[in-house]
Structure formats: structure tokens, C-alpha cells
Amino acid sequence: MSSPIQPIKENASMVVFGASGDLAKKKTFPALFSLFKDGRLSSDLVIVGYARSKIEPNDFIERITQFIKIDDNDSETKQKLEQFKKMCTYYRGSYDGVDSFQGLNNHLLEREGDREERNRVFYLALPPDVFVSVSTQLKQQCYPQKGAARLIIEKPFGFDLDSARDLQSKLNPLFDENEIYRIDHYLGKEMVQNLTHLRFCNPVISHLWNKESISNVQITFKEPIGTEGRGGYFDTSTIVRDIVQNHLVQVLSLIAMEPPTSLAAGDLRDAKVQALRRTRLGDLKDVVFGQYVKSKDGKRPGYLDDDTVPEGSKCPTYSAIPFFVDNDRWDGVPFLLKAGKAMDVGKVEVRVQFKPVANGLFKDAHRNELVIRIQPNEAVYFKLDIKQPGISSKPLLTDLDLTYKNRFTNMKLHEAYEALFFDAFAGDQSRFARIDELECAWSLVGPLLEYMEKEKPQPAPYEYGSNGPELLGNFLQKFGYVYDIPDYYEYPVTNLPDDK
Ligand code: NDP
Ligand code: BG6
């Protein structure tokens, strides 16, 4: 058994590679600031942004703090921001040159000063083709002689099963598995973390979590924007690699897994891997592929109108894919993974639909559903029937609603990246993907990727801003989903879960 990973509490440095990029300014540095402000980072932390671009020190600070919003009257936070700015510097270098990494090491040594140990966290927010060269240079030039090293790697980890294995085989001689933190930022989201608690703290849920009670499970990702400007990347990635293989399969594994022996990273990831090993893709002919076309009013462009997209591309920007988990708990229950760009709304949710009540007393009862809304406006609500209030015996579909913002006052939910960076410093890998999880996820979508590559199926068109291809209705029906039109509007009600 490997020894537990020690948390990094002090003598810490973090290098953000790709610091000139989008993710760095929008997510990484705001998340680091938030952790710092809440006292969750060591006060001696040295933060270095690293990239090839020429950026003046002041411009760098300006750049990485532009998305940090502080209330005008909040002088305490403003003061913290000034402190944070002093912790951050920029170092310019290449992603493969020995000189650059020797220079980075010297820069770190200078900033770190005399320390008994040097704990270094390297975060690779970079295109995957430079992961190996950067990791190699880090090992050779910047790996601490005394102290801990962590290598946080952004997605995508590989392009398919073979390339993921190949990447891992190149990292193997450089960093131990317990030094590698593979990001799937969905694992840092509050409601994704919540799945384990909902399932295993509540007998009322855990006892129903099986094929006897559950008819079908939908995991839905909808984004209201298209691939604007990212068409080059997206066209080879497709919605399957961009969203399904990683974010949605991770959510599936947390829903489908058996109770882990403990919540420790090893046990939790074992349970997820076991579930994924029993999961298979449904029939390829049932998969729905879609590609968005111009919006109804013609104002939003179609996927093919993007200059960065190859002419006539058949890249799916939408997919609805059935999966099955072949074990005693889930035999025959479809897990429907739906993901789309340029949709009517932005929403990510898990919708667990229960089997119908036995025929008998009521002919007009509705299906129960447990909905976990991951974003936006985090919520858990349970749709159930009550007697229609008043002189009536009709079942009325309503819900027990736990919308977080209504339930918890002064609630501050963390951003996914905050939780993940916090865990990386703490040495907790439970919310990072282990290599065998990723291999399972790639194997799971492998036949689909192969089919897309060989057959090049024509995706069904759907308008930008719509609910996806029309075929979706048949798809859901086929897998047993029953859409009960809610009776909410027959009654003036308050506090509806706001996706109604
Ligand atoms: P960017 O495209 O902005 O790239 C980040 C930096 O990498 C750039 O500023 C650039 O820095 C450098 N770079 C860009 N292209 C290349 C190249 N071909 N070769 C070497 N270096 C290059 O990406 P983001 O900041 O949006 O994202 C960073 C990584 O994180 C992405 O590669 C993506 O895989 C992943 N990502 C993850 C997301 C998630 O939600 N988990 C979301 C978005 C992205 P410079 O030229 O100055 O060196
Ligand atoms: C990324 C995808 O992994 O996740 C993007 O590459 C997508 O295409 C993003 O927009 C969605 O993340 P979130 O946290 O906004 O749901």
C-alpha cells in the first residue's frame, strides 16, 4: 500500500503554464485569489504564470485580475487583492527548451528564498501536445530535491484510448501516480460532489437506487453558445470528446457506482472504475447526432458558418447516447447522456425518473423524478404527486424543492477550480481522474468514435437556440422517459424550481 499523500501547507509554489490563456484569466487566477482570500492557501505561496507570450509584469497582473470582481465598499477584499498581486509574477519561456526551464527554476529559487523544503505545484493549462515536453523539463530542471511535487494536467488527457495510454506511458518515468492530478473540472462542482452525499447519507434515496425503482436516468449538458471561434479545436474533438467522454461519464460513474469502501481517493476511484467497467454503449443506431444551423431569426450563425470550421463538416455539436450498466443494480436501466452546444438554455442536470406506480387506485398518477441541477442555480428537487388542494381527488404533480439560494442564506458556493486547487494542495486525489478511469471512459466511447470516423453519419440539423434535434423526442420515448406536463400552472405557486 502506498503511504498517504502529505498536504502542502507551507513552503509552497505554484506555476501556472499557459498563463497567457483564456482559462488562466477567467478561472485559474480568480480561483486562486478566492482561496487566498478565504485563508485556504499558505501565505508564503509563490505563484508564477508561465507562457511564451511577451507580457509586461504590470500587464500580466492586470490580465489575471480582470475577472476578479470586488464590491466597491469591500476594502478588506481589495487589500487582499493587493497582497495577492504581490504573490504573482510572470515568467516567459518556451515549452521545451532547457534554458527556459532552468530559468524558471532560478526564478522560483529567487522568489522562494531560503526554505527548508520546496513544495511545487505545476499546473498545465496547455494544449495537450506539449504536456510531455513540459513534464519532462519540469522533472529535469524544476523538480524539488526536498519537498513535494504535484503535476496538475488539464483535459483532454488523450484523444482516444491509445493516445491516453501513450501519454501516460510517457509520464510514468517522470511523475508517480500520486503526484499526478488529472483535471475533470466537473468533479469540483458542488452538485457533482453532492451526489455521493445524496446517495449514501439518505436511506430514502439509497434504497430506491436500483432497477426495481428507477426507469431511466438522464444526464444533460446544454450550453446556450455555439463553438464560435473554437471550431478548429471542436471539429476534431466533437461533442463526444469535449463533453461526453469526460464530464458526463464522470457524473455517470458517481451515479452508478456501488457504495465505496470509504471516501478516500483510492476507494472512491475503485468504485467508479468498477461501475465503468460494467458500463457499455447502447445500440449505435439509437444514437442521435445533431449539428446546429442558424437561429430561427437568422441572427446566430450555424456551426458551418464559422470560418474556423472545415467546409461541409459532419461534426456533431449535439449527441444523445444511451449507455447501460450491466450489473445486478442497473440491469436494463438506460443512462441517457445528452450534450449540446448552441441550445435554448444553459443547464446541466441529472434527472432520475422512477417507475410508474402500479395500476390500481390511480389511473392518472404521474412519474416521480429526482432532479439534481448541477448548474446554474444549484438545486435538488423531487417531483411527486399530491392530492390537488381543495375539493378534488385528482393527483397533482408538484415538487419538494431544495433550491440552494432559497434554502441557504449567505451561501457562498465555490467555483469548481477552487475546490480542485484546494484538493491538489491538500493531496486529495479523490476528485481527480485516475488513469484507469480515463481508460474506461475512452473504451466506453471508443466504438462510437470509430463509427463516427468510419461512417461519418450526417448529424440532424437543429436551430441555434432550440432544444436540439427533433429526433430527441423519439429517443427519449424509446428509452422509457415519460414527460408528464407539470400541473404547476393550474395553481399560483411560489418558489418553483426555476427550470420550469
Ligand atoms: P488557450 O488556447 O488560451 O491556451 C493557453 C495557452 O497555451 C495560450 O495562451 C498559449 O500561450 C499556449 N498555447 C496555445 N496554443 C499553443 C500551441 N499550439 N502550442 C503551445 N502552446 C500553445 O487555452 P485555454 O487557456 O482556454 O485552456 C488551457 C487548456 O485547458 C486548453 O488546452 C484546454 O485543453 C483546457 N481547457 C479546459 C477547460 C475545462 O473546462 N477544464 C476549458 C477550457 C480549456 P503562449 O502562446 O503565450 O505560450
Ligand atoms: C469544457 C469544454 O471542458 O467544459 C467546453 O471544453 C465547455 O466546451 C466547458 O464549454 C463547460 O464547462 P462549464 O463549467 O461551463 O459547464
Side-chain angles (χ1 to χ4, degrees):
M1 223 168 78
S2 59
S3 51
I5 307 169
Q6 295 305 318
I8 295 177
K9 291 193 174 140
E10 52 195 6
N11 298 322
S13 304
M14 179 165 179
V15 185
V16 177
F17 289 90
S20 55
D22 218 41
L23 200 60
K25 67 178 179 206
K26 289 192 181 144
K27 300 281 182 191
T28 311
F29 283 92
L32 288 172
F33 173 63
S34 187
L35 285 173
F36 170 71
K37 176 170 68 75
D38 294 346
R40 294 182 190 276
L41 293 179
S42 74
S43 53
D44 67 358
L45 180 66
V46 162
I47 303 176
V48 178
Y50 184 106
R52 299 170 307 184
S53 302
K54 189 168 189 309
I55 309 177
E56 295 304 324
N58 285 346
D59 294 343
F60 178 66
I61 299 297
E62 172 81 33
R63 191 180 171 83
I64 60 172
T65 52
Q66 64 188 287
F67 283 86
I68 298 173
K69 298 287 165 249
I70 303 178
D71 199 282
D72 272 349
N73 307 319
D74 189 351
S75 52
E76 199 186 326
T77 308
K78 281 185 182 164
Q79 207 183 338
K80 291 252 175 189
L81 183 60
E82 292 314 307
Q83 260 177 284
F84 179 75
K85 286 178 180 174
K86 293 196 180 103
M87 292 159 65
C88 302
T89 52
Y90 179 71
Y91 191 84
R92 183 183 175 206
S94 74
Y95 295 125
D96 53 4
V98 175
D99 290 354
S100 293
F101 283 80
Q102 279 173 349
L104 171 64
N105 191 46
N106 290 336
H107 181 74
L108 281 168
L109 289 173
E110 199 178 299
R111 300 268 332 274
E112 290 166 344
D114 278 344
R115 286 182 169 183
E116 268 190 24
E117 54 180 19
R118 301 179 194 280
N119 298 306
R120 291 180 174 173
V121 176
F122 305 114
Y123 171 44
L124 276 49
L126 287 168
D129 45 341
V130 294
F131 285 168
V132 173
S133 63
V134 171
S135 307
T136 306
Q137 289 304 326
L138 284 174
K139 183 63 192 261
Q140 289 169 1
Q141 313 301 340
C142 305
Y143 193 87
Q145 304 284 320
K146 190 171 174 218
R150 311 257 204 266
L151 184 73
I152 310 178
I153 304 188
E154 259 303 338
K155 65 162 273 217
F157 197 91
F159 188 72
D160 54 18
L161 180 60
D162 288 345
S163 54
R165 283 187 170 151
D166 182 55
L167 172 56
Q168 183 56 36
S169 74
K170 290 178 174 140
L171 294 177
N172 275 338
L174 304 172
F175 289 86
D176 283 348
E177 179 61 25
N178 65 13
E179 292 176 321
I180 301 180
Y181 293 69
R182 298 175 196 82
I183 284 203
D184 184 309
H185 76 284
Y186 266 58
L187 294 177
K189 290 188 188 268
E190 175 74 21
M191 299 309 273
V192 175
Q193 299 186 354
N194 200 9
L195 287 169
T196 320
H197 290 70
L198 279 171
R199 285 193 57 193
F200 302 118
C201 294
N202 302 300
V204 71
I205 293 178
S206 60
H207 290 181
L208 297 178
W209 213 250
N210 53 51
K211 63 177 187 283
E212 274 78 36
S213 305
I214 292 175
S215 158
N216 57 79
V217 178
Q218 287 179 65
I219 306 171
T220 306
F221 169 97
K222 283 177 159 198
E223 224 171 27
I225 48 167
T227 60
E228 288 98 321
R230 275 180 91 206
Y233 150 79
F234 194 86
D235 206 72
T236 47
S237 178
T238 75
I239 195 75
V240 177
R241 287 191 177 90
D242 192 43
I243 304 292
V244 181
Q245 181 273 344
N246 38 78
H247 305 326
L248 299 197
V249 168
Q250 282 292 335
V251 173
L252 182 153
S253 70
L254 289 165
I255 294 172
M257 72 181 179
E258 294 302 312
T261 313
S262 79
L263 295 179
D267 291 334
L268 186 69
R269 299 198 290 183
D270 282 349
K272 288 165 70 189
V273 167
Q274 274 160 22
L276 290 178
R277 288 209 171 118
R278 305 310 295 263
T279 306
R280 71 177 157 85
L281 182 66
D283 208 326
L284 284 174
K285 73 175 178 350
D286 290 327
V287 174
V288 174
F289 287 121
Q291 188 185 81
Y292 66 88
V293 295
K294 265 190 186 21
S295 59
K296 198 180 222 104
D297 61 8
K299 287 187 179 153
R300 312 304 299 265
Y303 177 70
L304 295 179
D305 299 329
D306 186 335
D307 287 343
T308 56
V309 168
E311 209 179 315
S313 164
K314 291 184 176 174
C315 166
T317 57
Y318 181 94
S319 68
I321 311 170
F323 291 93
F324 292 90
V325 183
D326 291 333
N327 62 15
D328 228 28
R329 181 187 292 274
W330 294 115
D331 189 30
V333 178
F335 283 72
L336 309 172
L337 272 49
K338 296 150 48 202
K341 298 263 178 189
M343 308 286 290
D344 49 351
V345 290
K347 182 170 79 169
V348 181
E349 67 172 28
V350 174
R351 185 171 293 266
V352 179
Q353 186 168 68
F354 291 86
K355 290 194 165 167
V357 69
N359 259 336
L361 277 185
F362 292 100
K363 303 270 176 284
D364 44 2
H366 305 93
R367 293 288 187 100
N368 286 158
E369 280 181 12
L370 177 68
V371 183
I372 298 141
R373 193 164 60 239
I374 294 171
Q375 65 189 38
N377 194 13
E378 293 80 354
V380 181
Y381 57 95
F382 187 62
K383 292 171 73 172
L384 79 183
D385 273 348
I386 57 164
K387 182 184 99 50
Q388 179 162 336
I391 303 177
S392 167
S393 55
K394 192 177 153 201
L396 179 93
L397 183 60
T398 183
D399 48 60
L400 297 175
D401 174 18
L402 177 56
T403 294
Y404 274 37
K405 69 169 192 251
N406 299 335
R407 178 65 182 82
F408 303 109
T409 48
N410 296 329
M411 175 190 69
K412 177 188 178 276
L413 288 185
H414 59 263
E415 280 283 329
Y417 279 95
E418 285 178 51
L420 296 178
F421 293 146
F422 179 76
D423 284 354
F425 278 97
D428 181 352
Q429 293 181 303
S430 57
R431 285 181 278 268
F432 293 86
R434 203 167 59 188
I435 184 62
D436 50 350
E437 284 181 71
L438 293 180
E439 287 179 357
C440 285
W442 280 122
S443 302
L444 201 51
V445 298
L448 188 63
L449 296 174
E450 224 168 274
Y451 167 71
M452 287 158 69
E453 184 65 27
K454 277 195 189 134
E455 306 293 328
K456 304 221 173 347
Q458 181 64 47
Y462 64 96
E463 282 170 354
Y464 196 127
S466 72
N467 189 26
E470 275 175 24
L471 295 167
L472 187 61
N474 292 343
F475 171 87
L476 291 175
Q477 205 175 19
K478 166 157 191 177
F479 291 105
Y481 180 69
V482 175
Y483 180 53
D484 280 320
I485 296 174
D487 302 323
Y488 299 109
Y489 301 113
E490 290 187 12
Y491 273 76
V493 285
T494 53
N495 293 336
L496 278 180
D498 62 4
D499 65 337
K500 301 295 181 314

